[in-house]
Amino acid sequence: MPLARSLSVTSLSGLEEWDEEFDREDAVLFEIAWEVANKVGGIYTVIQTKARLTCEEWGENYFLVGPYMESSVRTQVELIEPCNATLRRTIDKMNSSGCKVYFGRWLIEGSPYVILLDVGFTAWSLDRWKIELWENFSIGVPWFDREANDAVLFGFLTAWLLGEVCTQCDEPPHIVAHFHEWLAGLGLVLCRQRQLPVATIFTTHATLLGRYLCAGSVDFYNKLAEFNVDKEAGDRQIYHRYCLERAAARCAHVFTTVSQITAIEAEHLLKRKPDIVTPNGLNVKKFSAMHEFQNLHAQSKARIQEFVRGHFYGHLDFNLDKTVFLFIAGRYEFSNKGADIFLEALARLNYLLRVNHSEVTIIAFFIMPARTNNFNVETLKGQAVRKQLWDTAQTVKERFGKKLYESLLVGQLPDVSKMLDKEDFTMMKRAIFATQRQCLPPICTHNMLEDSSDPILNCIRRIGLFNSAQDRVKVIFHPEFLSSTSPLLPVDYEEFVRGCHLGVFPSYYEPWGYTPAECTVMGIPSVSTNLSGFGCFMEEHIADPSAYGIYILDRRYRGVDESCNQLTSFLFQFCQQSRRQRIIQRNRTERLKYTVNFQIIRDCQPQNATGFRYPRPASVPPSPAHSLHSSPHHSEAEDEEEPYDEDLEVEKDRVNIRQPFNLPNRNKNQTVGLPEKN
């Protein structure tokens, strides 16, 4: 998706004239980000998912640079000796000069090399480097901003590393350095100021000021050209951060961003038009059979149902087979991520389900990390009670089975009245009494440090969704990243997404949107908005996104109340789908992922080519907008009568969809052009 070329800062050249083309084997790529082997936000996913392909392209000449975080390194990084002689000399020189630099392999797909810089060990240089930052760039960083202090340390260490690599090279090096976000951006600025022979790329995944403005409830996108950026940054006490980000964008040889909507935002706020838009992609696993991912959905859903049985013990008065799991996940930004509008829509959905006497129950999960001190005791007790009931049932089953077996051995039909004795009944009664509960199931699974001021909890108190028996919508707030080692909900994020029915991401500020993209890759329908990069991308390339399980919420041209009503309509109509309709829709969503990833690759090609729009399915799509009964209840007979042939569906899509382009053959000796001297 090439844009008009914009010039970088010419007064900070430093990059010598390179040949127009060079062998990739002679070049070295350093990719620098604060989230290398350090899970903080979406950039971690960006780097992790493209590591394998980048390693295949660049081989031994690809190195990731990030901060040394001991807790992450213990479980994610294998520390080894550098295999490259130049890097070995560089790291030894830096370690002997008062730094701590680690080298290893990141234990993810592709196993890329990582260089980890210990910013805490060099904190003694912070004041000296801040003085240099002020004298050379007139950017002052306050002492109390710890994140900005880390950015200063990380930036100077990165520039030191790249400068030392250039010094230790036997021949003039061809080095490309790709910096992600403002936290790594200072290193790029220092490379240009010190005139290092390094080609620089800066990618912004979201602008700092844009994130803060959207959180302040302003009409951001419709007034984008009217903001006084210096004043707005100063009013929010982030002017020093904004200056670091803007300097990186202006100094980079190539400036990129992840979506067209963020490109417009960057042009107005950072005062430079991106050279190219590179939409984020995801690794796509192709299943050998269409039903394989449906089986994975069923298995993951069963794991979530086990958690729900424990969480709602004593109040499990709903049918889990008629329960729909919704979820929202991501950075805890209450309004930016759309948690506010999602909660309001859930309250309205609860009313609609109750007045229509629906048998469907909705359980909405909020997976947003917040400050906690431990698991909620009542939540842990629920899982213990569930396990106790399971153990009791297994014990009684074994006794029953043994008596049944012995009766059949002697050729007699068992006397059912004698199969269970008094001890069995006593054991079962005790187990039933243990499920008695005097309080409602908890909303939050953890003890919140700021319970009284937490936005999600306060909103739940206002709308009155307390998981009571009358509510058809239940809410579970899990303020921690999911992990398969958790004693509460032992599933990782991918497994959790596969087990849910619908991901809901009504974001107001979402430069790209990995969460709905991940849902699509896993064959799970999702709700996105026309203010997210992913939502805009889908609207541009798909004629009817809802037919493929991607619902685009209008948050740009509608007010909050109208958008909330639209989201409520999406959710209510999704609940009306039969199980069969949801299966068909998941099949379409899963098939869509291959074309979406191909189109992302195509849009990143420099050639100008005509685009295409993914058409509506040839058959009538089972989406809420097109194929619903008037009643939310569907009988088994209705499900059986719905004609559907999976092979026929696939063939119809194949006939009606023309491929966007042919992927070019990759050649390891392929030459790449570098930016000209500015």
Side-chain angles (χ1 to χ4, degrees), residues 12-18 175 192 195-200 253 674-678:
L12 297 176
S13 178
L15 184 64
E16 296 180 1
E17 196 73 56
W18 289 3
I175 298 176
R192 298 300 302 275
Q195 299 188 7
L196 299 180
V198 176
T200 57
H253 291 105
L674 281 173
E676 299 177 358
K677 181 178 179 180
N678 291 324

Side-chain angles (χ1 to χ4, degrees), residues 416-448:
V416 179
S417 62
K418 296 180 180 180
M419 297 300 288
L420 297 176
D421 54 27
K422 288 185 178 180
E423 185 179 351
D424 295 328
F425 280 104
T426 301
M427 188 184 303
M428 289 188 290
K429 287 178 180 178
R430 288 175 58 186
I432 292 173
F433 288 163
T435 64
Q436 293 181 359
R437 200 178 205 170
Q438 303 302 321
C439 60
L440 293 174
I443 297 291
C444 189
T445 58
H446 293 60
N447 295 323
M448 300 289 290

Side-chain angles (χ1 to χ4, degrees), residues 381-653:
K381 180 183 176 183
Q383 300 308 312
V385 169
R386 177 194 61 78
K387 189 176 184 304
Q388 181 186 7
L389 284 173
W390 174 258
D391 292 341
T392 300
Q394 290 298 107
T395 302
V396 173
K397 184 179 75 172
E398 289 176 6
R399 292 184 180 182
F400 185 94
K402 185 177 180 181
K403 292 177 182 178
L404 177 61
Y405 173 66
E406 291 174 350
S407 177
L408 294 176
L409 276 178
V410 298
Q412 295 180 356
L413 289 176
D415 185 353
V416 179
S417 62
K418 296 180 180 180
M419 297 300 288
L420 297 176
D421 54 27
K422 288 185 178 180
E423 185 179 351
D424 295 328
F425 280 104
T426 301
M427 188 184 303
M428 289 188 290
K429 287 178 180 178
R430 288 175 58 186
I432 292 173
F433 288 163
T435 64
Q436 293 181 359
R437 200 178 205 170
Q438 303 302 321
C439 60
L440 293 174
I443 297 291
C444 189
T445 58
H446 293 60
N447 295 323
M448 300 289 290
L449 289 179
E450 299 169 353
D451 184 287
S452 61
S453 59
D454 184 79
I456 288 180
L457 295 181
N458 281 338
C459 186
I460 289 173
R461 294 179 185 117
R462 178 179 61 82
I463 61 181
L465 286 179
F466 298 125
N467 293 342
S468 64
Q470 295 77 26
D471 290 330
R472 303 292 356 119
V473 174
K474 320 285 185 181
V475 178
I476 298 176
F477 179 24
H478 189 280
E480 190 177 70
F481 284 124
L482 295 169
S483 170
S484 57
T485 60
S486 170
L488 194 64
L489 183 55
V491 295
D492 57 25
Y493 180 71
E494 179 178 343
E495 187 178 3
F496 176 80
V497 172
R498 286 195 185 280
C500 289
H501 297 94
L502 180 70
V504 185
F505 313 103
S507 306
Y508 184 74
Y509 184 76
E510 191 72 79
W512 173 246
Y514 252 116
T515 40
E518 287 170 325
C519 286
T520 303
V521 167
M522 297 180 206
I524 302 300
S526 62
V527 176
S528 188
T529 74
N530 58 358
L531 290 181
S532 74
F534 178 80
C536 293
F537 184 89
M538 286 299 167
E539 280 193 318
E540 179 183 354
H541 295 95
I542 302 179
D544 183 10
S546 64
Y548 294 92
I550 299 173
Y551 306 102
I552 309 299
L553 184 67
D554 184 2
R555 294 211 62 183
R556 183 164 191 177
Y557 303 108
R558 298 192 186 199
V560 174
D561 190 62
E562 288 180 290
S563 297
C564 189
N565 285 334
Q566 186 185 17
L567 178 58
T568 305
S569 175
F570 284 162
L571 299 180
F572 180 63
Q573 293 174 357
F574 185 84
C575 296
Q576 290 180 296
Q577 287 185 333
S578 67
R579 181 173 177 272
R580 185 62 173 166
Q581 287 175 313
R582 290 199 300 268
I583 290 174
I584 296 171
Q585 189 177 64
R586 281 198 297 272
N587 287 342
R588 288 211 178 95
T589 305
E590 201 271 341
R591 283 202 300 273
L592 177 65
K593 67 185 182 184
Y594 306 113
T595 300
V596 170
N597 258 26
F598 283 152
Q599 183 65 13
I600 287 175
I601 297 171
R602 174 196 168 279
D603 281 349
C604 293
Q605 302 301 312
Q607 298 90 354
N608 290 324
T610 57
F612 84 108
R613 285 175 66 81
Y614 201 76
R616 290 179 56 191
S619 59
V620 179
S623 68
H626 299 287
S627 61
L628 292 173
H629 297 272
S630 58
S631 167
H633 175 72
H634 293 267
S635 67
E636 293 300 323
E638 288 175 330
D639 291 350
E640 293 298 327
E641 291 173 3
E642 293 177 11
Y644 179 73
D645 186 321
E646 181 60 40
D647 294 333
L648 182 60
E649 284 284 309
V650 175
E651 184 60 32
K652 286 180 178 178
D653 279 352

Side-chain angles (χ1 to χ4, degrees), residues 68-81:
Y68 176 82
M69 299 292 178
E70 187 173 358
S71 59
S72 299
V73 170
R74 286 177 183 173
T75 57
Q76 298 185 41
V77 178
E78 177 191 9
L79 297 178
I80 59 174
E81 286 295 319

Side-chain angles (χ1 to χ4, degrees), residues 89 101 105 242 374 383 409 438 634:
R89 293 194 297 268
V101 183
R105 281 193 182 275
Y242 169 72
N374 213 329
Q383 300 308 312
L409 276 178
Q438 303 302 321
H634 293 267

Side-chain angles (χ1 to χ4, degrees), residues 303-424:
R303 300 284 298 276
I304 298 174
Q305 287 176 335
E306 283 299 295
F307 166 78
V308 168
R309 289 186 178 99
H311 191 83
F312 289 92
Y313 84 92
H315 294 273
L316 200 63
D317 50 3
F318 51 89
N319 186 351
L320 280 175
D321 290 333
K322 295 182 179 179
T323 299
V324 175
F325 297 136
L326 314 180
F327 80 99
I328 182 174
R331 192 193 302 262
Y332 195 173
E333 296 177 1
F334 183 63
S335 56
N336 281 0
K337 296 298 181 183
D340 52 350
I341 194 173
F342 184 32
L343 280 168
E344 185 61 38
L346 287 175
R348 300 180 187 188
L349 175 64
N350 185 50
Y351 171 79
L352 288 176
L353 293 176
R354 290 175 64 177
V355 298
N356 283 279
H357 305 290
S358 174
E359 295 182 4
V360 175
T361 301
I362 303 297
I363 296 182
F365 290 89
F366 287 74
I367 312 296
M368 291 182 161
R371 295 181 62 200
T372 64
N373 59 16
N374 213 329
F375 292 108
N376 187 307
V377 174
E378 189 64 25
T379 307
L380 288 173
K381 180 183 176 183
Q383 300 308 312
V385 169
R386 177 194 61 78
K387 189 176 184 304
Q388 181 186 7
L389 284 173
W390 174 258
D391 292 341
T392 300
Q394 290 298 107
T395 302
V396 173
K397 184 179 75 172
E398 289 176 6
R399 292 184 180 182
F400 185 94
K402 185 177 180 181
K403 292 177 182 178
L404 177 61
Y405 173 66
E406 291 174 350
S407 177
L408 294 176
L409 276 178
V410 298
Q412 295 180 356
L413 289 176
D415 185 353
V416 179
S417 62
K418 296 180 180 180
M419 297 300 288
L420 297 176
D421 54 27
K422 288 185 178 180
E423 185 179 351
D424 295 328

